[in-house]
Amino acid sequence: MLLLVVLLSAAASAVVSAVTSPLDDLFGSGKGGFSDAAGEIPSGMFALYHQAAAGCPGLPWSVLAGIGKVESDHGRAAVQVSSAGALGPMQMLPAMFGAYALPVPPGGAVPASPWDPADAAFAAARILCRDGAARGRDVPGAVFAYNHDRGYVARVLELADVYAATPPPVADALVIAAARQAPSHAARMALDYAAAQIGQPYVWGGDGPDRTGEAGFDCSGLTQSAYQAAGIEIPRTATAQFSTGRKVERESLLPGDLVFYGTAGVFLHHVAMYVSDGYAIDAPRPGAHVRLDPVDAPDYAGAVREG
């Protein structure tokens, strides 16, 4: 029995060594800690993983990112056709992709294509959802169904853990670069204020320590406080804030613009402040903190420019 335990332990160590060595190459040996994993994911793919995973509650975006890394280095691999005929950044067989390609997601190719990053990410999320990821029932099982290889599953899930534990791109560098592109002095001041709140906790109805002494912000409390600090008064709720300022198209967003989520003209449940490179500063939800998040989401409703 003791010999069996020793043999099993040695085998387990060999497997762990085999599946973690790609992480050593990616993020360092581990002796000095991991580097910025989020910066390792192209911003476009980072946003797509979040958007696609949002369609399957319980599927972590980081699992999609782990698959994207293993399969194609997030679409950067020079060759994206496997020996089995799997195609594109998420490496799907044409028949499997075709069964889960519709509806075509926002920004996807028409007709849908496994080579298109948006089409591929959304189809992969739907496949994982079907195979057990929905409501987090069996995410490892869903990954195994995606690729019947236990080493593959371990590698994807470990990458997912690293990605999930790493913050998005460093706010300071992003804000400094974005400030140069702000359309007005007020927008720049509002952006600076919002960036300074990163790390503050989400508080329902919170207007922040500067205005009311509260410990944090909710989404519209953050944006209202930011523009008040810039000398511009805007309403308190997201729906009311959308009625002020000048409407801005998605492709014309500039630093300091307010971006909204929900149904325009009916109810808007969330507002954030655009920074640049597809990111915004927001107070996302209870239990979270003010942070950078991707702008794109299925319920994106529009944007306004204040000042």
Side-chain angles (χ1 to χ4, degrees):
M1 179 64 72
L2 178 60
L3 177 60
L4 178 60
V5 170
V6 170
L7 289 173
L8 287 175
S9 176
S13 296
V15 170
V16 169
S17 174
V19 299
T20 58
S21 57
L23 295 179
D24 294 339
D25 294 339
L26 245 183
F27 307 119
S29 65
K31 295 178 181 178
F34 294 121
S35 65
D36 183 5
E40 190 267 334
I41 304 174
S43 61
M45 292 304 297
F46 188 81
L48 283 174
Y49 295 141
H50 280 78
Q51 294 166 34
C56 179
L59 170 63
W61 72 269
S62 55
V63 170
L64 279 179
I67 291 173
K69 176 62 185 179
V70 173
E71 297 290 7
S72 71
D73 192 17
H74 307 302
R76 289 184 291 234
V79 177
Q80 294 178 23
V81 181
S82 76
S83 58
L87 308 174
M90 303 301 281
Q91 290 289 278
M92 286 173 282
L93 293 171
M96 180 63 75
F97 171 79
Y100 291 91
L102 300 178
V104 172
V110 180
S113 167
W115 298 101
D116 181 82
D119 291 344
F122 274 76
R126 292 164 185 158
I127 291 168
L128 292 167
C129 206
R130 176 205 66 177
D131 289 332
R135 295 184 293 281
R137 285 197 311 267
D138 185 8
V139 173
V143 177
F144 182 76
Y146 197 91
N147 186 322
H148 299 287
D149 182 321
R150 296 294 180 189
Y152 174 91
V153 174
R155 205 158 148 211
V156 165
L157 295 181
E158 188 162 6
L159 280 164
D161 286 344
V162 173
Y163 287 143
T166 306
V170 178
D172 287 347
L174 203 61
V175 171
I176 290 170
R180 302 189 186 100
Q181 305 170 32
S184 67
H185 178 66
R188 184 162 57 251
M189 290 181 64
L191 182 60
D192 286 344
Y193 180 95
Q197 311 313 313
I198 289 176
Q200 290 275 2
Y202 179 98
V203 173
W204 176 258
D207 294 318
D210 296 333
R211 293 175 60 195
T212 58
E214 292 167 302
F217 300 87
D218 64 10
C219 65
S220 56
L222 174 64
T223 51
Q224 185 190 45
S225 294
Y227 268 100
Q228 186 177 72
I232 296 177
E233 294 290 339
I234 62 175
R236 179 60 178 78
T237 67
T239 299
Q241 288 177 11
F242 189 65
S243 67
T244 66
R246 179 167 61 86
K247 299 296 185 290
V248 179
E249 296 299 323
R250 172 67 182 84
E251 60 273 15
S252 301
L253 285 174
L254 290 174
D257 289 346
L258 300 182
V259 292
F260 297 84
Y261 302 86
T263 304
V266 180
F267 176 70
L268 296 167
H269 64 83
H270 189 58
V271 57
M273 181 175 292
Y274 186 68
V275 181
S276 70
D277 295 341
Y279 289 97
I281 298 171
D282 69 339
R285 56 178 171 75
H289 293 75
V290 176
R291 66 191 189 190
L292 286 172
D293 275 322
V295 167
D296 290 329
D299 60 348
Y300 178 87
V304 302
R305 183 167 299 156
E306 300 290 350

